[in-house]
PDB file of all heavy atoms in Angstrom:
ATOM      1  N   ALA A 157      -6.673  11.263 -15.954  1.00 96.00           N
ATOM      2  CA  ALA A 157      -5.285  11.282 -16.390  1.00 96.00           C
ATOM      3  C   ALA A 157      -4.360  10.856 -15.249  1.00 96.00           C
ATOM      4  O   ALA A 157      -3.378  10.107 -15.469  1.00 96.00           O
ATOM      5  CB  ALA A 157      -4.916  12.699 -16.860  1.00 96.00           C
ATOM      6  N   ILE A 158      -4.654  11.295 -14.043  1.00 96.00           N
ATOM      7  CA  ILE A 158      -3.842  10.909 -12.900  1.00 96.00           C
ATOM      8  C   ILE A 158      -3.993   9.412 -12.597  1.00 96.00           C
ATOM      9  O   ILE A 158      -3.001   8.699 -12.371  1.00 96.00           O
ATOM     10  CB  ILE A 158      -4.220  11.735 -11.659  1.00 96.00           C
ATOM     11  CG1 ILE A 158      -3.954  13.236 -11.904  1.00 96.00           C
ATOM     12  CG2 ILE A 158      -3.479  11.261 -10.415  1.00 96.00           C
ATOM     13  CD1 ILE A 158      -4.525  14.149 -10.830  1.00 96.00           C
ATOM     14  N   LEU A 159      -5.230   8.932 -12.630  1.00 95.00           N
ATOM     15  CA  LEU A 159      -5.490   7.506 -12.380  1.00 95.00           C
ATOM     16  C   LEU A 159      -4.776   6.628 -13.415  1.00 95.00           C
ATOM     17  O   LEU A 159      -4.229   5.559 -13.079  1.00 95.00           O
ATOM     18  CB  LEU A 159      -6.975   7.224 -12.379  1.00 95.00           C
ATOM     19  CG  LEU A 159      -7.759   7.788 -11.181  1.00 95.00           C
ATOM     20  CD1 LEU A 159      -9.244   7.642 -11.436  1.00 95.00           C
ATOM     21  CD2 LEU A 159      -7.368   7.081  -9.900  1.00 95.00           C
ATOM     22  N   SER A 160      -4.768   7.062 -14.660  1.00 94.00           N
ATOM     23  CA  SER A 160      -4.100   6.314 -15.723  1.00 94.00           C
ATOM     24  C   SER A 160      -2.624   6.190 -15.448  1.00 94.00           C
ATOM     25  O   SER A 160      -2.021   5.121 -15.680  1.00 94.00           O
ATOM     26  CB  SER A 160      -4.345   6.983 -17.078  1.00 94.00           C
ATOM     27  OG  SER A 160      -3.674   6.300 -18.100  1.00 94.00           O
ATOM     28  N   ALA A 161      -2.023   7.247 -14.955  1.00 94.00           N
ATOM     29  CA  ALA A 161      -0.582   7.226 -14.656  1.00 94.00           C
ATOM     30  C   ALA A 161      -0.275   6.353 -13.452  1.00 94.00           C
ATOM     31  O   ALA A 161       0.812   5.748 -13.367  1.00 94.00           O
ATOM     32  CB  ALA A 161      -0.090   8.648 -14.406  1.00 94.00           C
ATOM     33  N   LEU A 162      -1.207   6.257 -12.501  1.00 94.00           N
ATOM     34  CA  LEU A 162      -0.963   5.467 -11.283  1.00 94.00           C
ATOM     35  C   LEU A 162      -1.300   3.996 -11.451  1.00 94.00           C
ATOM     36  O   LEU A 162      -0.782   3.153 -10.714  1.00 94.00           O
ATOM     37  CB  LEU A 162      -1.799   6.052 -10.136  1.00 94.00           C
ATOM     38  CG  LEU A 162      -1.458   7.476  -9.676  1.00 94.00           C
ATOM     39  CD1 LEU A 162      -2.463   7.912  -8.607  1.00 94.00           C
ATOM     40  CD2 LEU A 162      -0.046   7.561  -9.141  1.00 94.00           C
ATOM     41  N   ASP A 163      -2.188   3.660 -12.377  1.00 91.00           N
ATOM     42  CA  ASP A 163      -2.730   2.305 -12.541  1.00 91.00           C
ATOM     43  C   ASP A 163      -1.705   1.451 -13.331  1.00 91.00           C
ATOM     44  O   ASP A 163      -1.388   1.751 -14.483  1.00 91.00           O
ATOM     45  CB  ASP A 163      -4.049   2.369 -13.287  1.00 91.00           C
ATOM     46  CG  ASP A 163      -4.760   1.016 -13.312  1.00 91.00           C
ATOM     47  OD1 ASP A 163      -4.167   0.031 -12.835  1.00 91.00           O
ATOM     48  OD2 ASP A 163      -5.907   0.957 -13.807  1.00 91.00           O
ATOM     49  N   ASP A 164      -1.236   0.378 -12.688  1.00 89.00           N
ATOM     50  CA  ASP A 164      -0.269  -0.509 -13.365  1.00 89.00           C
ATOM     51  C   ASP A 164      -0.969  -1.727 -13.968  1.00 89.00           C
ATOM     52  O   ASP A 164      -0.289  -2.666 -14.427  1.00 89.00           O
ATOM     53  CB  ASP A 164       0.832  -0.939 -12.402  1.00 89.00           C
ATOM     54  CG  ASP A 164       0.292  -1.740 -11.229  1.00 89.00           C
ATOM     55  OD1 ASP A 164      -0.938  -1.978 -11.164  1.00 89.00           O
ATOM     56  OD2 ASP A 164       1.092  -2.107 -10.341  1.00 89.00           O
ATOM     57  N   GLY A 165      -2.302  -1.768 -13.940  1.00 87.00           N
ATOM     58  CA  GLY A 165      -3.043  -2.850 -14.568  1.00 87.00           C
ATOM     59  C   GLY A 165      -3.295  -4.038 -13.663  1.00 87.00           C
ATOM     60  O   GLY A 165      -3.992  -4.991 -14.079  1.00 87.00           O
ATOM     61  N   SER A 166      -2.774  -4.025 -12.454  1.00 91.00           N
ATOM     62  CA  SER A 166      -2.970  -5.168 -11.543  1.00 91.00           C
ATOM     63  C   SER A 166      -4.193  -4.920 -10.658  1.00 91.00           C
ATOM     64  O   SER A 166      -4.772  -3.825 -10.648  1.00 91.00           O
ATOM     65  CB  SER A 166      -1.733  -5.383 -10.687  1.00 91.00           C
ATOM     66  OG  SER A 166      -1.436  -4.213  -9.936  1.00 91.00           O
ATOM     67  N   ALA A 167      -4.577  -5.949  -9.887  1.00 93.00           N
ATOM     68  CA  ALA A 167      -5.720  -5.820  -9.005  1.00 93.00           C
ATOM     69  C   ALA A 167      -5.403  -4.825  -7.888  1.00 93.00           C
ATOM     70  O   ALA A 167      -4.254  -4.654  -7.472  1.00 93.00           O
ATOM     71  CB  ALA A 167      -6.077  -7.176  -8.414  1.00 93.00           C
ATOM     72  N   GLY A 168      -6.468  -4.165  -7.418  1.00 94.00           N
ATOM     73  CA  GLY A 168      -6.276  -3.209  -6.323  1.00 94.00           C
ATOM     74  C   GLY A 168      -7.238  -2.055  -6.442  1.00 94.00           C
ATOM     75  O   GLY A 168      -8.130  -2.031  -7.293  1.00 94.00           O
ATOM     76  N   THR A 169      -7.036  -1.075  -5.586  1.00 95.00           N
ATOM     77  CA  THR A 169      -7.947   0.083  -5.506  1.00 95.00           C
ATOM     78  C   THR A 169      -7.111   1.357  -5.361  1.00 95.00           C
ATOM     79  O   THR A 169      -6.113   1.370  -4.630  1.00 95.00           O
ATOM     80  CB  THR A 169      -8.894  -0.041  -4.318  1.00 95.00           C
ATOM     81  OG1 THR A 169      -9.660  -1.241  -4.459  1.00 95.00           O
ATOM     82  CG2 THR A 169      -9.842   1.133  -4.218  1.00 95.00           C
ATOM     83  N   ILE A 170      -7.521   2.403  -6.045  1.00 96.00           N
ATOM     84  CA  ILE A 170      -6.899   3.724  -5.916  1.00 96.00           C
ATOM     85  C   ILE A 170      -7.981   4.715  -5.476  1.00 96.00           C
ATOM     86  O   ILE A 170      -9.042   4.818  -6.092  1.00 96.00           O
ATOM     87  CB  ILE A 170      -6.282   4.179  -7.246  1.00 96.00           C
ATOM     88  CG1 ILE A 170      -5.240   3.200  -7.747  1.00 96.00           C
ATOM     89  CG2 ILE A 170      -5.634   5.585  -7.068  1.00 96.00           C
ATOM     90  CD1 ILE A 170      -4.696   3.509  -9.135  1.00 96.00           C
ATOM     91  N   VAL A 171      -7.698   5.423  -4.393  1.00 96.00           N
ATOM     92  CA  VAL A 171      -8.568   6.501  -3.920  1.00 96.00           C
ATOM     93  C   VAL A 171      -7.843   7.821  -4.196  1.00 96.00           C
ATOM     94  O   VAL A 171      -6.756   8.054  -3.638  1.00 96.00           O
ATOM     95  CB  VAL A 171      -8.887   6.377  -2.424  1.00 96.00           C
ATOM     96  CG1 VAL A 171      -9.801   7.534  -1.948  1.00 96.00           C
ATOM     97  CG2 VAL A 171      -9.539   5.028  -2.122  1.00 96.00           C
ATOM     98  N   LEU A 172      -8.410   8.641  -5.037  1.00 96.00           N
ATOM     99  CA  LEU A 172      -7.756   9.885  -5.465  1.00 96.00           C
ATOM    100  C   LEU A 172      -8.503  11.100  -4.919  1.00 96.00           C
ATOM    101  O   LEU A 172      -9.706  11.225  -5.094  1.00 96.00           O
ATOM    102  CB  LEU A 172      -7.724   9.965  -6.984  1.00 96.00           C
ATOM    103  CG  LEU A 172      -7.211  11.265  -7.604  1.00 96.00           C
ATOM    104  CD1 LEU A 172      -5.738  11.492  -7.239  1.00 96.00           C
ATOM    105  CD2 LEU A 172      -7.407  11.265  -9.134  1.00 96.00           C
ATOM    106  N   TRP A 173      -7.756  11.969  -4.228  1.00 96.00           N
ATOM    107  CA  TRP A 173      -8.306  13.239  -3.718  1.00 96.00           C
ATOM    108  C   TRP A 173      -7.800  14.391  -4.567  1.00 96.00           C
ATOM    109  O   TRP A 173      -6.592  14.509  -4.803  1.00 96.00           O
ATOM    110  CB  TRP A 173      -7.842  13.493  -2.283  1.00 96.00           C
ATOM    111  CG  TRP A 173      -8.348  12.519  -1.261  1.00 96.00           C
ATOM    112  CD1 TRP A 173      -9.392  11.656  -1.389  1.00 96.00           C
ATOM    113  CD2 TRP A 173      -7.826  12.351   0.071  1.00 96.00           C
ATOM    114  NE1 TRP A 173      -9.549  10.937  -0.225  1.00 96.00           N
ATOM    115  CE2 TRP A 173      -8.617  11.344   0.673  1.00 96.00           C
ATOM    116  CE3 TRP A 173      -6.805  12.930   0.794  1.00 96.00           C
ATOM    117  CZ2 TRP A 173      -8.382  10.925   1.994  1.00 96.00           C
ATOM    118  CZ3 TRP A 173      -6.570  12.513   2.098  1.00 96.00           C
ATOM    119  CH2 TRP A 173      -7.346  11.529   2.679  1.00 96.00           C
TER     120      TRP A 173
END
Side-chain angles (χ1 to χ4, degrees):
I158 298 170
L159 290 171
S160 177
L162 296 175
D163 189 355
D164 62 2
S166 59
T169 301
I170 302 174
V171 180
L172 174 63
W173 294 345

